[in-house]
Amino acid sequence: MVMTQKPSTSRPVALITGASRGIGAACARLLAVQGYAVVVNYAERADAAQALVDELTRAGHTAWAVQANVADESQVLAMFAAIDTRMGRLDALVNNAGVVGATARVDECSAERFKRILDINVLGSLLCAREAVRRMSTRHGRRGGGIVNMGSAASRLGSPGQYVDYAAAKGAIDSFTIGLSREVAGEGIRVNAVRPGIIDTDIHASGGWATRVADVQATLPMKRAGTADEVAQCVAWLLSDAASYTTGALIDVSGAR
Ligand code: NAP
C-alpha cells in the first residue's frame, strides 16, 4: 500500500497509542517539544486526551486526539486513514497502549480476561506496527521511520501471583520487536522496545492495586518507582537520529529491578 497524499505538515508526525494518560502522555509531551506533530490516541478518556491536546496547542505545538481501540482492526484502520488525510505522513509510532488485569493466579483467570490482555497488549501493537510499516518503509516508497514498542520488565520477571498473562503478552512484545526490527532493518525503519519497571501511573489502580507504588517502593533497588517522563526520555532518544544504529534493542528503564 503506497499513500499518495502530499504532506500536509512539514513537521515529522508521531502517533502515540494510549497517550491520554501516563507514559503515553509523557511521550507525547516530550516528542511535541522536540518538534513532532503528535497524534494522541486514546480508548475512552476523551477528556484527558483533549486536555493534553489543549495544553500542547496552547504551548505552540501541533497535537490532535484520535479515539481508537487498538485491539479492533477496523478502528485501527480508521485511525491510520484519518492520519493519512489530516497529516499526510507518519514518521514515528510509539506502541504504548496497554492494560493489566487484576491481581490473580493463572488458575483463577477467565478466557475472556486472557483474550483482553493479549488483544490490547499484543494484537494492538501488531496491527499498529503493520499500518506504520506500510506508511514508513522504503519498500512502499516511503521515507523510513521509527517504532518503539512499550514492553515491560514483567517479560523477564514473569509476574507470578499477579498477572502472568500480562507478562506473557510483554514477552511477545520482546520477540515481536526483535523480529520486526530484522524484517525492516534494510527499509529505513528502526524498531526498539523500552521495558519499564514500576512507574507511577494510573495503571496500578486500573489493576485494582491503587497503592502499589507506595506499597513496594521501599523494596525497589532505587527505593522509588520511576516516572513517566523517565520512560519518555528513552523513547524519544530511540526515535532520534542519535540512536541511528540502535535497532532490535530491548532497553530496561527499570531502576535495576
Ligand atoms: P495508564 O496510565 O493506565 O494509561 C493507559 C493508556 O492506554 C491510556 O491512555 C488508555 O486510554 C490507553 N488504552 C488502554 N486500552 C486501550 C486500547 N484498547 N486502545 C487504545 N488505548 C488504550 O498506563 P501506563 O502505566 O502509562 O502504561 C503505558 C504502557 O507502559 C503500557 O503498555 C504498560 O503495559 C507499560 N508499562 C507500564 C508500567 C508501569 O508501571 N506503569 C510498567 C511497565 C510497562 P484511556 O485514557 O482512554 O483509557
Side-chain angles (χ1 to χ4, degrees), residues 26-244:
C27 291
R29 283 192 181 90
L30 187 54
L31 292 173
V33 167
Q34 294 187 347
Y36 284 89
V38 295
V39 181
V40 174
N41 161 257
Y42 66 97
E44 292 171 1
R45 290 285 305 273
D47 56 335
Q50 195 54 50
L52 176 59
V53 166
D54 291 346
E55 171 196 321
L56 295 174
T57 305
R58 273 197 305 274
H61 306 303
T62 301
W64 176 44
V66 184
Q67 192 280 334
N69 172 5
V70 295
D72 182 319
E73 184 179 22
S74 62
Q75 293 186 32
V76 169
L77 291 175
M79 174 169 67
F80 277 85
I83 293 170
D84 294 338
T85 302
R86 180 145 171 178
M87 304 298 214
R89 60 186 284 180
L90 183 68
D91 301 271
L93 166 67
V94 184
N95 250 334
N96 168 78
V99 292
V100 296
T103 295
R105 288 169 47 97
V106 168
D107 56 11
E108 297 166 342
C109 292
S110 66
E112 289 71 27
R113 168 189 162 133
F114 289 153
K115 189 170 183 319
R116 173 173 178 265
I117 295 298
L118 293 169
D119 278 356
I120 296 176
N121 291 295
V122 183
L123 178 62
S125 295
L126 287 163
L127 290 171
C128 290
R130 181 189 73 189
E131 294 309 305
V133 168
R134 288 174 174 171
R135 287 158 177 82
M136 292 176 180
S137 172
T138 54
R139 187 165 181 255
H140 297 292
R142 308 301 292 216
R143 70 181 89 198
I147 297 174
V148 177
N149 296 322
M150 199 55 65
S152 172
S155 72
R156 54 185 169 71
L157 297 171
S159 307
Q162 192 175 7
Y163 31 59
V164 169
D165 49 357
Y166 170 79
K170 292 302 188 178
I173 294 298
D174 289 357
S175 300
F176 171 51
T177 301
I178 294 165
L180 184 62
S181 69
R182 293 176 182 179
E183 195 165 286
V184 300
E187 301 172 22
I189 306 175
R190 292 183 300 102
V191 184
N192 293 287
V194 175
R195 302 195 298 191
I198 296 182
I199 308 299
D200 193 0
T201 71
D202 295 346
I203 201 168
H204 311 293
S206 68
W209 189 1
T211 58
R212 184 179 184 212
V213 168
D215 292 348
V216 305
Q217 59 188 0
T219 70
L220 299 175
M222 291 180 71
K223 307 298 177 203
R224 68 170 180 88
T227 67
D229 189 57
E230 288 173 313
V231 180
Q233 292 289 345
C234 186
V235 171
W237 178 77
L238 285 168
L239 291 173
S240 76
D241 289 343
S244 53

